Amino acid sequence: MLDHTLKSDVTARRLEVITETGRRRWFSKDDKARIVEETLVPGAVVSEIARRHGLTPQQVFTWRRQARRLPAPEADDPQFVPAVVDAMAPVAVAGHERKAGKRVFYRTG
């Protein structure tokens, strides 16, 4: 009988699994988003979803963490809203009433 066990004092720190095609699999952003969305359904089990897509649960959890960090894409909403500031009249302080008829103008520009 053939023994396929590795007998060594050195433990592996990294294990790379090669698929049948001999290459790594790459997922588009849309594929990743779709898989992450599947995990957000109440009662969903990440391990089952990962296995169904040929992934490890750790990879799916990493994608979930990355998705939480990204800002949600906004539609055609502006990034900034213009602010309009109205000039306010100076407030009279008790004991310092303004003299009637005297106006102060400020030049801008």
Side-chain angles (χ1 to χ4, degrees), residues 33-95:
R34 187 176 40 78
I35 293 169
V36 167
E37 285 177 5
E38 287 182 41
T39 66
L40 301 177
V41 175
V45 179
V46 174
S47 297
E48 291 175 1
I49 294 168
R51 201 172 315 129
R52 187 170 59 243
H53 293 286
L55 299 165
T56 63
Q58 294 85 350
Q59 184 64 59
V60 177
F61 280 115
T62 298
W63 290 351
R64 286 172 50 137
R65 187 173 51 254
Q66 290 170 346
R68 280 193 303 267
R69 290 182 189 153
L70 296 176
E74 298 177 10
D76 293 324
D77 296 337
Q79 293 289 331
F80 296 96
V81 177
V84 178
V85 180
D86 291 332
M88 296 175 55
V91 178
V93 180

Side-chain angles (χ1 to χ4, degrees), residues 90 97-105:
E97 289 78 20
R98 293 179 54 192
K99 294 181 183 177
K102 184 174 181 180
R103 294 185 180 182
V104 178
F105 294 96

